Amino acid sequence: MGVSLEGKRVILVPYMEAHVPKYHNWMQDHGLLQATGSEPLSLDQEYQMQLSWTQDPLKRTFIVLDKELVEGEFVHGDPRVEAMVGDVNIYMNDLDDMQLAEIEIMIAEPKSRGKGLGKESVLMMMAHAVQTLGVHMFRAKIGESNGASLNLFRKLGFEEVSYSEVFKEVTLDFPVTKPKQEELLDLIGNVIIHT
């Protein structure tokens, strides 16, 4: 079942079947659909999507748990649905460059936004991807109206490389230079990895 990653404020756990109903409920929100560029799915379609994501070697999907909401001691494999606040994903869908990963973050629970959970989740995902997949470039594609995500990725050092008039979307890149790689690998040293 992969790994869970525990940081200071968040725990990233694999996307499990138990998470699907709450995730599906989030994706009924028009604002979240728009911010994530997603289409509404039926609950059955959402279960199929969860299964496909867990089986696709070109994707890594983690559910973001707010550690403040985790009751008791965390054990890998326990979905902790009560603490779910969002998800973080990477996709290696550039077949010409398998070390380029597109990264996405969603903090779906309004009460959990603005607490640094998204930032920590993105950095932990990036560190994990550099360490385990050898990723050398991260890319984020963000709708121009999603100011919170644009600000987050810019603060993390992503730089705008293009804008799509058709999709009203900004593309930002983060090349993993040697100093950036060392920073990310130092960060993963402070993350507890549960197997």
Side-chain angles (χ1 to χ4, degrees), residues 56-93:
D56 188 334
L58 302 180
K59 293 182 176 143
R60 296 288 186 281
T61 298
F62 287 95
I63 293 295
V64 177
L65 305 181
D66 182 337
K67 280 180 76 169
E68 288 181 358
L69 303 176
V70 172
E71 299 163 5
E73 191 173 332
F74 173 75
V75 178
H76 177 63
D78 183 345
R80 297 302 181 115
V81 174
E82 80 282 353
M84 277 177 74
V85 297
D87 72 338
V88 61
N89 312 289
I90 57 169
Y91 308 97
M92 283 77 64
N93 44 11

Side-chain angles (χ1 to χ4, degrees), residues 32-49:
L32 281 179
L33 287 172
Q34 187 176 13
T36 59
S38 301
E39 295 294 323
L41 300 176
S42 70
L43 185 57
D44 281 346
Q45 289 171 319
E46 205 74 71
Y47 276 110
Q48 291 168 16
M49 187 71 76

Side-chain angles (χ1 to χ4, degrees), residues 74-141:
F74 173 75
V75 178
H76 177 63
D78 183 345
R80 297 302 181 115
V81 174
E82 80 282 353
M84 277 177 74
V85 297
D87 72 338
V88 61
N89 312 289
I90 57 169
Y91 308 97
M92 283 77 64
N93 44 11
D94 183 337
L95 299 179
D96 294 328
D97 185 354
M98 295 305 290
Q99 272 70 54
L100 184 150
E102 189 174 326
I103 188 162
E104 299 176 340
I105 179 73
M106 173 182 75
I107 301 298
E109 293 290 337
K111 67 184 181 301
S112 297
R113 295 180 189 147
K115 294 170 53 177
L117 305 182
K119 177 182 179 182
E120 186 178 47
S121 299
V122 168
L123 286 171
M124 285 169 55
M125 177 62 106
M126 289 170 66
H128 179 66
V130 166
Q131 183 181 48
T132 61
L133 303 169
V135 170
H136 69 83
M137 173 73 78
F138 290 97
R139 177 163 291 154
K141 294 181 178 182

Side-chain angles (χ1 to χ4, degrees), residues 123-177:
L123 286 171
M124 285 169 55
M125 177 62 106
M126 289 170 66
H128 179 66
V130 166
Q131 183 181 48
T132 61
L133 303 169
V135 170
H136 69 83
M137 173 73 78
F138 290 97
R139 177 163 291 154
K141 294 181 178 182
I142 302 168
E144 67 178 359
S145 63
N146 190 346
S149 280
L150 286 169
N151 287 340
L152 168 65
F153 282 95
R154 286 180 176 134
K155 281 182 187 168
L156 292 175
F158 282 71
E159 295 189 5
E160 186 172 332
V161 291
S162 66
Y163 173 75
S164 168
E165 191 65 52
V166 174
F167 296 110
K168 304 286 187 226
E169 185 177 76
V170 179
T171 298
L172 303 110
D173 279 356
F174 183 100
V176 183
T177 60

